[in-house]
């Protein structure tokens, strides 16, 4: 990977032997491996057995999970937040594991639409809930730094399964919660 980076530097008109760039190929290779570490993991690797039998049948929502990924079309970052809700069916998942599942799929070359589906599907496979809803909101640097250069553009995708798909009231409750309108704190 380092040799490939040196070639890329030369192709864009840089001198890979310049002092400031001497260690860049190795740093770039390490960074890319870190940003794409999701290929080496499966949901069961990151949930680490944190599935618990619990008689809870109300909605569980974790909002504002920060994610960072690389667009597979340009290998440029997109960054944003994931909101996950599910209704347990006898099993719950440790809350941090929802964030870990989101991170697992974000750490691959991605399109936001697939990322959203993969998170929902992994939760379905892991705890077999009555339903799952996932919303991903991101800024894509391929739209900010090149092309149309629209810095304020935000892309929102959603994926719903089970009762979130079949019951509009349940789906509406989830969307109300992630918008900050659904729960009043005492």
């Amino acid at each position: 990977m380092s040799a490939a980076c040196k070639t890329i530097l030369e192709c864009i008109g840089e001198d890979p032997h310049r002092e400031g760039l001497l260690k860049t190929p190795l740093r770039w290779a390490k960074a890319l491996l870190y940003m794409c570490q999701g290929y080496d993991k499966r949901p069961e690797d990151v949930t680490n057995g944190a599935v618990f039998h619990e008689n809870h049948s109300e909605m569980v929502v974790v909002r504002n999970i920060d994610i960072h990924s690389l667009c597979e079309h340009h290998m440029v970052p997109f960054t944003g937040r994931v909101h996950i809700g599910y209704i347990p069916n006898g099993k719950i998942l440790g809350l941090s594991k929802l964030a870990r599942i989101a991170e697992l799929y974000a750490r691959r070359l991605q399109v936001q639409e697939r990322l959203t589906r993969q998170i929902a599907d992994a939760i379905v496979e892991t705890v077999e809930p009555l339903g799952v809803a996932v919303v991903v909101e991101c800024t894509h640097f391929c739209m900010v730094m090149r092309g149309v250069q629209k810095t304020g553009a935000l892309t929102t995708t959603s994926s719903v399964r089970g009762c979130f798909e079949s019951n509009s009231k349940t789906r509406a409750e989830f969307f109300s919660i992630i918008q900050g309108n659904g729960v009043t704190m005492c």
Side-chain angles (χ1 to χ4, degrees):
M1 288 177 70
S2 293
C5 183
K6 285 180 185 176
T7 300
I8 292 168
L9 289 170
E10 290 169 350
C11 288
I12 64 170
E14 266 294 354
D15 174 8
H17 303 291
R18 185 167 60 80
E19 182 183 6
L21 294 176
L22 285 175
K23 294 183 181 178
T24 297
L26 180 59
R27 286 192 298 260
W28 176 83
K30 287 180 179 179
L32 189 58
L33 287 172
Y34 177 80
M35 289 184 280
C36 293
Q37 66 181 304
Y39 289 110
D40 295 333
K41 297 177 184 168
R42 300 174 323 234
E44 51 271 17
D45 297 330
V46 298
T47 56
N48 200 25
V51 176
F52 307 101
H53 294 280
E54 187 69 40
N55 188 22
H56 181 79
S57 59
E58 299 297 325
M59 194 179 303
V60 176
V61 176
V62 176
R63 299 178 4 191
N64 299 327
I65 301 166
D66 290 329
I67 59 149
H68 310 285
S69 192
L70 292 175
C71 161
E72 71 179 34
H73 300 135
H74 304 100
M75 287 184 63
V76 176
F78 65 94
T79 186
R81 292 187 169 162
V82 177
H83 314 288
I84 301 172
Y86 75 101
I87 299 179
N89 188 19
K91 293 188 268 184
I92 61 170
L93 185 58
L95 296 175
S96 69
K97 305 311 179 186
L98 295 169
R100 291 187 187 282
I101 288 171
E103 177 82 1
L104 161 71
Y105 291 107
R107 293 295 182 186
R108 298 176 180 188
L109 297 181
Q110 275 292 7
V111 295
Q112 185 174 327
E113 298 86 345
R114 181 184 325 116
L115 171 63
T116 308
R117 280 193 324 272
Q118 287 174 325
I119 295 167
D121 290 342
I123 295 164
V124 168
E125 291 171 19
T126 302
V127 291
E128 302 168 338
L130 297 174
V132 172
V134 176
V135 170
V136 178
E137 302 171 309
C138 289
T139 298
H140 290 254
F141 284 79
C142 58
M143 286 183 61
V144 172
M145 296 176 67
R146 56 167 301 282
V148 296
Q149 297 183 13
K150 300 302 176 199
T151 58
L154 185 68
T155 301
T156 303
T157 51
S158 66
S159 186
V160 292
R161 304 285 185 275
C163 62
F164 287 93
E165 187 173 23
S166 62
N167 186 323
S168 60
K169 204 171 174 182
T170 303
R171 188 170 51 255
E173 179 184 351
F174 170 73
F175 283 104
S176 178
I177 289 171
I178 67 168
Q179 292 169 356
N181 304 327
V183 178
T184 312
M185 302 306 278
C186 297

